[in-house]
Amino acid sequence: MRVDRTALEAAFRQLPGVDEVLRFKRVAGIAGRTGRTEVTALVRRALEGLRREIAAGELSVTDLKERLNAGELAARVEALFEADSKRGIRRVINVSGVVLNTGLGRAPVHAEVAQRMAMAASSFCVLEVDRISGKRNRRDDHLSSLLCRLTGCEAAIAVNNNAAAVLLYLQTFGQGGEAIVSRGELVEIGGSFRVPDVMTRAGVKLVEVGTTNRTRIDDYRQAIGDDTGLLLKVHTSNFKVIGFTEEVAMEELAELGLETGVPAIFDLGSGLFEMEGLTPLGQFGDETVVQAAVKSGLDAVSFSGDKLFGGPQAGLIVGKHKAIEAMRKNPIYRAVRLDKTALAGLEGTLQLILDGRGDEIPTRQMLRRSADELHETAKRLAASLSELPTFQVEVAADRSQPGSGSAPDVFLDTWVLRVTSSRFKPDALARELRMGEPSVFGRVQGDALIVDPRTLLDGDEAGLIEAFQALDA
Ligand SMILES: *Cc1c(COP(=O)(O)O)cnc(C)c1O
């Protein structure tokens, strides 16, 4: 369609001014609830939206007149106000089947851990002071001793996330020099965190060795020179090279490090723990267990606090005394250190494991749920939802995912609800549920909304049913 300039101008002229819209009764009503400055901004956005549609030829003068008479502007201002009031961090019922869902905040911590975090946030706390002497000490002293007890490491340090951990050791050992990495491990971890880019920014020259599918220890050995600052191994979290492959074992890399005096470091990513008192997570055969990585003799090993470990966001580095102390002395550490709430949460999570209660960690619980247990939950939920005429519900076998690049090739057998509705298309239903109260995040697959009970937390079932009831005609 040819856009006629005079027609466009005629349409633009139909639009009332900001002040006029502000006098509309419904708009004035919102101003009473939120304040005039905020409403003025909403009115500008509503008018801007209409202008864009007119300019794109989506609204003719006649259409526009009709809609304006029907109260379109007030309706748009109200809709913007509603949408704005639903923004920000709030509780979500996760039925996406992705356990460590980055969009939904990854690992939810144990209720007792959350209490500790709330205590640290809302009060003064013992953070950088020794209770006996009253003198200053390090904020992660206690955390480090807990990590040493749990993993068998000599020393530990905690930073804001695992990306910060990678930055810290690259910067500490590699700045102005080189880091040797296998070609098969030059990964992008998501959120555009690319190992080669981080190296450049950390002032480290990347030396790639081996090929995409095969790297041997001699490839590393031959690349070591005067400028070598560290040997880096990166867990290829979110992809897998299969077929004719060869990867350097961490023990070999540790030994080469020892022999040459170059720190050998492993970015583990997820941080799987297996030990006495913890029911194994079975299907994670390929994930390196943290304790095993420490035992291999590497100088440092890093992993996230909020992936398989099941704690708050953090990057934990465990390893040898000398390497950890060098990182602690790097001024960059001050910029990436942890805050008191995350520290309280990590201490709490570690203490649960040390007390033999690690099986209670929500992430581990969700990952361990059996297909039989989930079948029962799915049938129970289906029975409740089937009472609502708006929805048709089927129970079907499906697969859940650990998520966040943890064990990309692992799928967990589950049973889901396949929800369809004559009233809502799947995408619309998913949106209504996201915007509802409580907010529910499922997953659209073909013509149905999938509700995977694996990722439900204690007490979520009632809220989930409420959310569907609210949409029932
Ligand atoms: C997830 C991941 C990271 C980033 O960790 P964050 O805690 O999200 O910063 C780095 N390296 C690997 C291998 C990962 O899997």
Side-chain angles (χ1 to χ4, degrees):
M1 191 185 79
R2 203 174 57 87
V3 183
D4 178 339
R5 281 203 73 78
T6 22
L8 270 189
E9 275 157 23
F12 283 136
R13 273 197 303 273
Q14 294 297 317
L15 292 176
V18 174
D19 287 332
E20 195 181 335
V21 182
L22 284 168
R23 284 193 296 270
F24 292 174
K25 205 164 156 204
R26 280 157 73 188
V27 176
I30 297 174
R33 287 162 67 190
T34 177
R36 198 175 156 90
T37 320
E38 285 76 14
V39 174
T40 307
L42 295 178
V43 169
R44 291 218 162 90
R45 273 164 64 194
L47 284 167
E48 196 46 50
L50 279 175
R51 267 190 217 106
R52 262 200 310 273
E53 283 168 42
I54 294 167
E58 292 163 9
L59 264 180
S60 67
V61 187
T62 2
D63 272 356
L64 181 66
K65 271 189 189 159
E66 229 169 74
R67 295 220 204 159
L68 289 176
N69 286 335
E72 174 91 4
L73 263 167
R76 286 192 181 210
V77 172
E78 277 169 356
L80 286 172
F81 175 66
E82 277 297 309
D84 272 7
S85 67
K86 291 190 171 184
R87 289 174 66 183
I89 295 182
R90 63 186 55 224
R91 210 179 97 77
V92 158
I93 295 179
N94 177 11
V95 282
S96 68
V98 181
V99 178
L100 297 168
N101 193 318
T102 299
L104 303 182
R106 289 201 190 154
V109 300
H110 190 280
E112 285 173 32
V113 173
Q115 267 175 15
R116 279 204 196 206
M117 294 176 77
M119 172 282 295
S122 61
S123 61
F124 294 107
C125 60
V126 177
L127 183 66
E128 280 190 11
V129 63
D130 178 59
R131 282 174 81 186
I132 300 171
S133 65
K135 295 213 173 92
R136 277 294 278 271
N137 70 356
R138 294 163 164 180
R139 60 176 56 206
D140 59 353
D141 264 358
H142 183 57
L143 179 72
S144 304
S145 9
L146 294 177
L147 279 167
C148 291
R149 271 172 66 194
L150 198 65
T151 68
C153 66
E154 291 175 13
I157 186 169
V159 293
N160 205 23
N161 50 30
N162 191 29
V166 175
L167 178 69
L168 183 62
Y169 46 71
L170 281 175
Q171 232 275 329
T172 304
F173 302 109
Q175 201 204 14
E178 299 171 348
I180 305 180
V181 190
S182 159
R183 276 209 175 79
E185 299 175 353
L186 292 169
V187 293
E188 172 169 327
I189 281 136
S192 63
F193 182 80
R194 289 185 175 170
V195 174
D197 296 346
V198 178
M199 290 217 180
T200 312
R201 289 300 172 122
V204 185
K205 187 163 166 256
L206 167 67
V207 177
E208 303 170 34
V209 294
T211 59
T212 306
N213 57 336
R214 304 194 83 182
T215 304
R216 300 181 186 85
I217 193 67
D218 279 342
D219 296 327
Y220 282 91
R221 190 188 301 277
Q222 278 154 23
I224 295 180
D226 292 342
D227 290 337
T228 308
L230 71 153
L231 309 172
L232 181 63
K233 189 170 168 58
V234 183
H235 178 52
T236 53
S237 304
N238 47 11
F239 82 103
K240 206 174 160 70
V241 182
I242 50 170
F244 184 57
T245 64
E246 186 168 343
E247 197 185 335
V248 170
M250 50 193 181
E251 289 79 7
E252 285 180 294
L253 201 68
E255 205 179 299
L256 182 62
L258 199 65
E259 187 188 315
T260 55
V262 179
I265 301 182
F266 191 177
D267 171 14
L268 266 185
S270 215
L272 174 65
F273 275 81
E274 297 298 0
M275 58 194 286
E276 212 177 305
L278 273 185
T279 307
L281 293 180
Q283 316 197 34
F284 293 84
D286 279 2
E287 282 292 307
T288 308
V289 174
V290 176
Q291 290 98 325
V294 169
K295 205 169 166 199
S296 74
L298 288 162
D299 294 280
V301 170
S302 74
F303 58 96
S304 298
D306 54 352
K307 290 189 184 171
L308 290 177
F309 178 63
Q313 180 189 304
L316 300 168
I317 316 178
V318 293
K320 298 216 175 127
H321 207 268
K322 191 173 160 206
I324 301 293
E325 276 312 301
M327 290 186 234
R328 206 179 277 286
K329 290 205 183 84
N330 186 339
I332 295 284
Y333 166 63
R334 177 62 178 75
V336 294
R337 70 176 186 186
L338 273 181
D339 81 299
K340 60 177 181 172
T341 50
L343 268 166
L346 289 168
E347 286 184 4
T349 308
L350 283 162
Q351 196 62 57
L352 273 180
I353 301 178
L354 288 165
D355 290 347
R357 296 174 58 200
D359 278 351
E360 293 176 28
I361 293 171
T363 301
R364 293 188 78 97
Q365 278 187 337
M366 290 187 263
L367 290 168
R368 270 201 334 267
R369 277 183 191 146
S370 69
D372 285 346
E373 179 192 343
L374 291 163
H375 198 185
E376 291 310 310
T377 314
K379 283 192 284 191
R380 191 168 57 242
L381 286 169
S384 302
L385 295 190
S386 297
E387 288 169 16
L388 310 174
T390 306
F391 305 104
Q392 284 74 54
V393 186
E394 265 174 51
V395 173
D398 208 318
R399 298 196 300 174
S400 331
Q401 271 185 288
S404 282
S406 305
D409 50 340
V410 172
F411 290 92
L412 310 161
D413 287 333
T414 189
W415 287 86
V416 299
L417 309 184
R418 288 178 47 86
V419 185
T420 49
S421 165
S422 48
R423 195 162 155 223
F424 301 102
K425 292 210 171 90
D427 284 327
L429 177 56
R431 188 179 55 244
E432 291 294 332
L433 287 167
R434 287 196 304 269
M435 295 301 283
E437 193 54 59
S439 173
V440 171
F441 278 64
R443 145 169 79 89
V444 173
Q445 199 172 291
D447 60 348
L449 177 93
I450 306 294
V451 172
D452 186 340
R454 178 179 296 280
T455 36
L456 286 173
L457 293 170
D458 282 350
D460 272 351
E461 275 186 44
L464 179 66
I465 292 163
E466 247 173 63
F468 277 96
Q469 278 168 343
L471 299 177
D472 190 38

